[in-house]
Amino acid sequence: MAKDSTETRARLIDAVGRVLAQEGFEKIGVNSVAREAGVDKVLIYRYFDGLKGLVAAFCSQEGFWPSPLELMGGDRDAFARMPYAQQLSEGAINYLRAIRARPLAQEVLAWRFLVQNELTTAFDSVRMASGAEVVNLMNVPTGEHAVDYQALQAIVAAAINHLGTRSGKLKDFSGIGLQDGSGWLRIEAMIHTIVYAVLDEKGPPPA
Amino acid sequence: MAKDSTETRARLIDAVGRVLAQEGFEKIGVNSVAREAGVDKVLIYRYFDGLKGLVAAFCSQEGFWPSPLELMGGDRDAFARMPYAQQLSEGAINYLRAIRARPLAQEVLAWRFLVQNELTTAFDSVRMASGAEVVNLMNVPTGEHAVDYQALQAIVAAAINHLGTRSGKLKDFSGIGLQDGSGWLRIEAMIHTIVYAVLDEKGPPPA
DNA sequence: GACTCATGTCACTCGTCGGTGACATGCGCA
DNA sequence: TGCGCATGTCACCGACGAGTGACATGAGTC
């Protein structure tokens, strides 16, 4: 035999994605993944030093998480020049769209929010770094203001985390249908409305 | 023996709460609960028709979920007379406080958001009914308005769900410390700000 | 006393889990 | 040709999960 081991590694990584999509995060284990990959489970230990390493490799795949550039809308310089309200509104909406477009990342993220174990901690660093890079480019107004920017960001981010991570399973939330795009457009419009209303600025019309 | 079976039932229900508090929702099983209760697991099947029934009984305990009255702030008539902005703002804040005050309900709710299985569906009806009762009393403005009330409610509720269900484990969110009360006050104030800013009304000063 | 029945204990099956050691195979190299 | 090593297969272990059937005990009833 002695095939190419890189193919076996790829088969295992792909199998993680299939188990994640079909069975969910909680069903991920050395037995189920190896079975799905058609490969002996001992190779998970040999090539990835256990399930933790395999999941980390899976989540490190190109494009698995939204890139900072994607959250900025594709143009880093343009984002850096935006006023704060526009940065927050568009960044939040881009974040929501990015999560909605990634069902597997939704699943992982949802579990990361709920439990913190050796599996979920494997990819925290990647996620954190990505978010921090965007936040660091935000032109948060300085000086004394009446607006609690951190609190505003926290609420917007929390709402998106909840809606985004559940978007794959959620048909309806608070009377808004989320199966087609129209419901999500209403959510996005309201994010825009909230940000500009709280910051008391006249913004560009919603995209 | 032939003791009183109601005591055994109570021991089992209490054991669910202890396992939930100490080990988390995922560790709840017939073996762990029976061991914690100091009782044979076969009694779970005999008295509650399985784990599902036991968990349903646990979640049906008085005060486990916030009551509609609690979400309304304790005075149903006063709530019914409030303008919509005040209803939404105060109702949302009451909801957040109610969840924060119930670590076990947080745990159950968080799992209900993530997975939908025979365990979590057991108590959906109770939860749904409670929320609907409050929503039905809301004086949503009629006629044509520019404000998408459903979307506003959805975002506020989503943010509270995310922050509330994680409040027990979360030390910090978006730079806001959530261990003492001051961070939560900022969150509550921002909920108030958002609601009144979007609805473009002058509200009472934040409590 | 004899019977019924609820209560509770015990032992067991069967499946899955994470993890490990032994072994077969085949490639590259001396 | 023979050696080392990476690759891959197989069988097994102990632990724990849900669920079930058999049996002991004791209280109330006729």
Side-chain angles (χ1 to χ4, degrees):
Chain A
M1 293 281 184
K3 304 177 194 173
D4 190 5
S5 77
T6 61
E7 159 150 1
T8 302
R9 292 168 208 257
R11 287 171 67 95
L12 281 169
I13 290 179
D14 288 350
V16 171
R18 286 196 299 275
V19 174
L20 195 56
Q22 295 162 13
E23 314 278 341
F25 193 91
E26 58 185 339
K27 298 292 186 181
I28 289 186
V30 284
N31 292 298
S32 60
V33 171
R35 199 182 312 126
E36 175 70 31
V39 152
D40 197 283
K41 63 179 172 181
V42 76
L43 302 181
I44 294 176
Y45 297 98
R46 212 175 277 173
Y47 292 147
F48 297 96
D49 195 29
L51 189 62
K52 171 185 171 181
L54 176 56
V55 173
F58 171 76
C59 294
S60 301
Q61 289 176 112
E62 182 69 24
F64 182 79
W65 298 109
S67 70
L69 189 62
E70 179 175 352
L71 300 182
M72 297 180 203
D75 188 333
R76 183 192 186 89
D77 290 338
F79 184 84
R81 283 192 301 268
M82 291 178 185
Y84 174 70
Q86 191 180 357
Q87 285 180 321
L88 180 52
S89 173
E90 297 194 7
I93 291 172
N94 289 334
Y95 177 43
L96 176 58
R97 290 179 179 171
I99 292 184
R100 285 216 300 131
R102 291 174 172 80
L104 298 184
Q106 280 175 35
E107 192 81 20
V108 175
L109 203 52
W111 279 90
R112 171 59 188 82
F113 287 151
L114 184 52
V115 293
Q116 188 153 4
N117 55 28
E118 71 286 349
L119 276 190
T120 58
T121 52
F123 41 85
D124 272 359
S125 55
V126 185
R127 209 169 54 80
M128 297 302 180
S130 180
E133 184 171 341
V134 177
V135 171
N136 285 339
L137 282 183
M138 303 258 270
N139 301 311
V140 183
T142 55
E144 292 124 39
H145 290 77
V147 179
D148 187 344
Y149 301 103
Q150 285 185 320
L152 177 59
Q153 290 175 203
I155 288 181
V156 170
I160 295 179
N161 278 340
H162 188 77
L163 292 171
T165 55
R166 306 188 63 216
S167 61
K169 304 173 180 175
L170 220 52
K171 300 174 193 154
D172 187 280
F173 189 83
S174 184
I176 298 184
L178 298 179
Q179 295 189 303
D180 55 0
S182 67
W184 290 107
L185 280 181
R186 291 170 63 191
I187 297 291
E188 293 182 2
M190 183 51 66
I191 291 174
H192 180 276
T193 299
I194 287 175
V195 169
Y196 282 92
V198 169
L199 298 179
D200 199 24
E201 295 184 15
K202 294 216 169 184
Chain B
M1 292 283 183
K3 304 177 192 173
D4 189 4
S5 78
T6 61
E7 159 148 0
T8 303
R9 293 169 208 257
R11 289 170 65 94
L12 281 169
I13 290 178
D14 288 350
V16 171
R18 286 197 298 276
V19 173
L20 196 56
Q22 296 164 10
E23 314 278 341
F25 193 92
E26 57 185 339
K27 298 291 187 183
I28 290 186
V30 284
N31 292 298
S32 60
V33 171
R35 198 182 313 126
E36 176 70 31
V39 152
D40 197 282
K41 63 180 173 181
V42 77
L43 302 180
I44 294 176
Y45 297 96
R46 209 175 279 172
Y47 291 147
F48 297 96
D49 194 29
L51 189 62
K52 169 185 171 179
L54 175 56
V55 172
F58 171 76
C59 293
S60 302
Q61 290 176 113
E62 183 68 27
F64 181 80
W65 298 110
S67 71
L69 190 61
E70 180 176 351
L71 299 182
M72 297 180 202
D75 188 333
R76 183 191 186 89
D77 290 338
F79 183 84
R81 282 192 301 268
M82 291 178 184
Y84 174 70
Q86 191 179 358
Q87 285 179 322
L88 180 53
S89 173
E90 296 194 7
I93 291 172
N94 288 335
Y95 177 44
L96 176 58
R97 290 179 179 169
I99 292 184
R100 286 216 298 132
R102 291 173 170 82
L104 299 184
Q106 280 175 36
E107 192 81 21
V108 174
L109 204 51
W111 278 89
R112 170 58 187 83
F113 288 150
L114 184 52
V115 293
Q116 186 151 6
N117 55 27
E118 70 285 351
L119 277 189
T120 58
T121 54
F123 41 84
D124 272 0
S125 54
V126 186
R127 208 169 54 81
M128 296 302 179
S130 180
E133 184 170 341
V134 178
V135 171
N136 285 340
L137 282 183
M138 302 258 269
N139 301 311
V140 182
T142 55
E144 292 123 39
H145 289 76
V147 180
D148 187 344
Y149 301 103
Q150 285 184 320
L152 177 59
Q153 290 176 203
I155 288 180
V156 171
I160 295 178
N161 278 340
H162 187 78
L163 291 172
T165 56
R166 307 187 61 215
S167 62
K169 303 173 181 176
L170 220 51
K171 301 173 191 153
D172 186 279
F173 189 83
S174 183
I176 299 184
L178 298 179
Q179 295 189 305
D180 55 0
S182 66
W184 290 106
L185 281 181
R186 292 170 62 190
I187 297 290
E188 293 182 2
M190 182 51 66
I191 291 173
H192 181 276
T193 299
I194 286 175
V195 169
Y196 282 92
V198 169
L199 298 179
D200 198 24
E201 296 183 15
K202 292 215 171 183

